[in-house]
Amino acid sequence: MNLREWAVANGVHPHTAYRWFREGTLPVPAERVQRTILVNIEANSSAPSVTAGVGLYARVSSHDQKSDLERQVSRLAVWAARGGHRVVRIESEIGSGMNGGRAKARRLLADPEVSTVVVDDGEVADDLVRDMVEVLTSFCARLYGRRSAKRRAEAALEAAAAGD
């Protein structure tokens, strides 16, 4: 299978797959044969105990974090390649933490070939804190008025952190 076909089958943009190949972070073995890059998926599935593969999932909360999303996918791919894991699907999406509808995450979970889902948690803490501040700001704005809502939300987070 050539690199472009592999990329389309795994939900990765062909340019991203080519960049991973150049950087040596492509999650499957591949080699250049004249002008074509061939991906050998069967090489990672030769172990008899492996019946399914790994699904990689990355998410950011807004469109201005698209570069963060690409870095997350790249980190996951590097991790999978170094660990010798067979990647069967890669999904990434942009969606707020306030909205629970994750179409690509559901698609990843529904894939019968995916036995394990790996999520990059490198930036989860920042997204979670930002989402919590937004929720608390909204609640405080309703209770106390908009002018001091953000300050009160931050004070509530500090109080919650001190209680742990």
Side-chain angles (χ1 to χ4, degrees):
M1 165 182 297
N2 73 29
L3 185 63
R4 178 179 279 288
E5 292 169 348
W6 176 87
V8 170
N10 287 284
V12 176
H13 194 279
H15 289 156
T16 302
Y18 181 66
R19 187 183 77 240
W20 290 347
F21 175 75
R22 282 191 332 258
E23 294 171 350
T25 59
L26 193 66
V28 294
E31 63 182 73
R32 184 181 297 274
V33 177
Q34 295 177 353
R35 293 190 56 161
T36 305
I37 299 171
L38 296 178
V39 178
N40 186 3
I41 296 175
E42 288 73 30
N44 275 347
S45 62
S46 61
S49 63
V50 177
T51 58
V54 174
L56 305 179
Y57 179 74
R59 180 193 70 84
V60 293
S61 59
S62 64
H63 287 281
D64 61 338
Q65 296 174 314
K66 192 165 180 122
S67 62
D68 294 339
L69 184 63
E70 291 173 1
R71 281 194 301 272
Q72 285 184 31
V73 171
S74 179
R75 279 195 303 263
L76 287 169
V78 167
W79 173 85
R82 286 185 182 153
H85 300 285
R86 185 173 77 96
V87 176
V88 294
R89 190 177 193 105
I90 299 172
E91 293 289 348
S92 62
E93 65 185 334
I94 299 171
S96 170
M98 304 295 288
N99 180 359
R102 304 268 184 271
K104 292 185 178 183
R106 285 194 307 261
R107 197 177 317 150
L108 185 66
L109 292 171
D111 191 335
E113 290 198 22
V114 174
S115 64
T116 306
V117 176
V118 180
V119 181
D120 181 38
D121 64 351
E123 298 169 19
V124 169
D126 293 338
D127 283 345
L128 183 60
V129 169
R130 187 178 314 116
D131 291 341
M132 285 300 296
V133 168
E134 289 174 7
V135 169
L136 287 173
T137 300
S138 173
F139 289 154
C140 290
R142 290 181 185 162
L143 288 174
Y144 306 115
R146 300 209 179 267
R147 195 171 69 193
S148 65
K150 186 171 184 175
R151 183 180 50 80
R152 290 178 189 248
E154 290 170 352
L157 278 175
E158 289 174 11
D164 289 340

